[in-house]
Amino acid sequence: MAVTWNLWHGCQKISEGCRYCYVYRQDEMHGKDSSLVTRTSLFNLPVRRKRDKTYKVPAGEMVYTCFTSDFFVPGADEWRTEAWAMIKERPDLRFFMITKRIDRFRVALPEDWGEGYEHVAIACTVENQTMADYRLPIYKELPIRHKIIICAPLLGSLDLTAYLDASIEEVSVGGESGLEARTCNYDWVLDIRRQCVEKEVPFGFHQTGARLLKDGKLYRIRREFQHSQARRAGIDYRK
């Protein structure tokens, strides 16, 4: 089971992978300014209780955290201490977040973080070699118990070999969605898989993207089939 916890909303574009951000697309349809970071009505979701005093979010759930923003966005600095406190209060849940701002990880970090909370996974996303070579050396040195590299939207070939070892629990790859999506070359995906297999790091192909180039042919894949088509490729690797 899983729940989504978007405790704040809004973000600023900081790299090439942000160009066609899905949050900006969705907000535009409703006349919202995605660059404004605002606290949402779901801010305290993990610690809300029922009339019988039990938590509304039951133990054991995976909590997908801050998927319409970035947990480390500067505009949320004033709320992050409280957010960490709620996460700490619920060690019976598993929290999963993805960030492009791994260089801001230590801003408002809890004093008792130590080597990381066991129930928190923080994934670092990279879209091209420039971002991989900037973000991943920082990521590798940080005290995070569960580390996952997300290569999405994959915009070019990547050499991740210098960053792959037993500290990385998985590398997950996906193309870009949306009408303006840039092409994802299947050869790039397979090459990242090869690197993972050689380093014995689990690999997953989670999304084809809207435009997938395979064997010289460009496939246009509708949004509702992008995850299932990636699964059908059958290239996930588990050591």
Side-chain angles (χ1 to χ4, degrees):
M1 299 295 292
V3 298
T4 299
W5 180 33
N6 289 320
L7 62 171
W8 47 76
H9 181 91
C11 200
Q12 295 84 40
K13 298 181 180 184
I14 60 169
S15 66
E16 193 59 33
C18 303
R19 180 181 292 191
Y20 302 125
C21 174
Y22 73 95
V23 175
Y24 272 68
R25 293 200 310 267
Q26 292 174 350
D27 281 353
E28 186 177 1
M29 291 188 293
H30 298 93
K32 294 177 63 175
D33 184 352
S34 298
S35 68
L36 297 177
V37 180
T38 56
R39 205 164 100 158
T40 74
S41 61
L42 295 176
F43 181 77
N44 65 344
L45 177 64
V47 297
R48 289 180 181 175
R49 294 179 183 268
K50 302 176 184 177
R51 290 183 178 179
D52 64 1
K53 305 303 182 182
T54 61
Y55 289 115
K56 289 187 176 181
V57 179
E61 296 277 20
M62 172 69 78
V63 182
Y64 291 101
T65 304
C66 222
F67 272 52
T68 63
S69 182
D70 190 312
F71 191 77
F72 302 102
V73 69
D77 286 354
E78 63 180 302
W79 308 314
R80 196 171 302 107
T81 297
E82 189 177 352
W84 279 128
M86 289 187 284
I87 290 171
K88 180 182 177 181
E89 183 178 329
R90 296 299 310 272
D92 55 331
L93 301 175
R94 294 169 294 150
F95 292 87
F96 176 72
M97 62 185 72
I98 302 173
T99 183
K100 286 183 170 66
R101 292 173 171 82
I102 200 64
D103 52 356
R104 304 194 77 251
F105 168 77
R106 294 189 183 276
V107 178
L109 191 67
E111 292 183 359
D112 65 349
W113 178 261
E115 294 303 308
Y117 293 162
E118 178 59 41
H119 63 302
V120 177
I122 299 176
C124 180
T125 179
V126 299
E127 65 267 31
N128 54 32
Q129 195 67 47
T130 298
M131 288 297 99
D133 291 339
Y134 172 67
R135 293 174 185 150
L136 295 182
I138 298 171
Y139 187 52
K140 289 284 292 178
E141 296 301 316
L142 292 175
I144 299 170
R145 291 192 183 275
H146 303 288
K147 295 181 177 180
I148 299 168
I149 297 173
I150 307 287
C151 305
L154 185 61
L155 302 179
S157 60
L158 290 180
D159 182 357
L160 301 178
T161 52
Y163 313 115
L164 300 180
D165 58 27
S167 71
I168 304 299
E169 296 184 358
E170 183 178 358
V171 174
S172 185
V173 176
E176 189 167 44
S177 61
L179 296 176
E180 298 175 296
R182 289 157 287 187
T183 298
C184 178
N185 192 320
Y186 192 58
D187 289 343
W188 304 338
V189 178
L190 292 178
D191 188 56
I192 295 171
R193 181 186 188 277
R194 175 192 60 78
Q195 295 169 44
C196 290
V197 172
E198 290 178 355
K199 294 285 188 173
E200 297 187 337
V201 172
F203 168 89
F205 182 33
H206 68 262
Q207 180 176 314
T208 62
R211 292 178 171 85
L212 182 70
L213 182 64
K214 181 179 180 183
D215 298 329
K217 182 178 179 180
L218 180 63
Y219 294 88
R220 296 180 181 270
I221 303 172
R222 289 166 51 182
R223 185 71 182 87
E224 62 265 34
F225 300 124
Q226 290 170 24
H227 292 280
S228 61
Q229 288 295 318
R231 289 193 300 270
R232 285 184 63 185
I235 60 173
D236 290 0
Y237 167 72
R238 298 292 180 264
K239 61 179 180 178

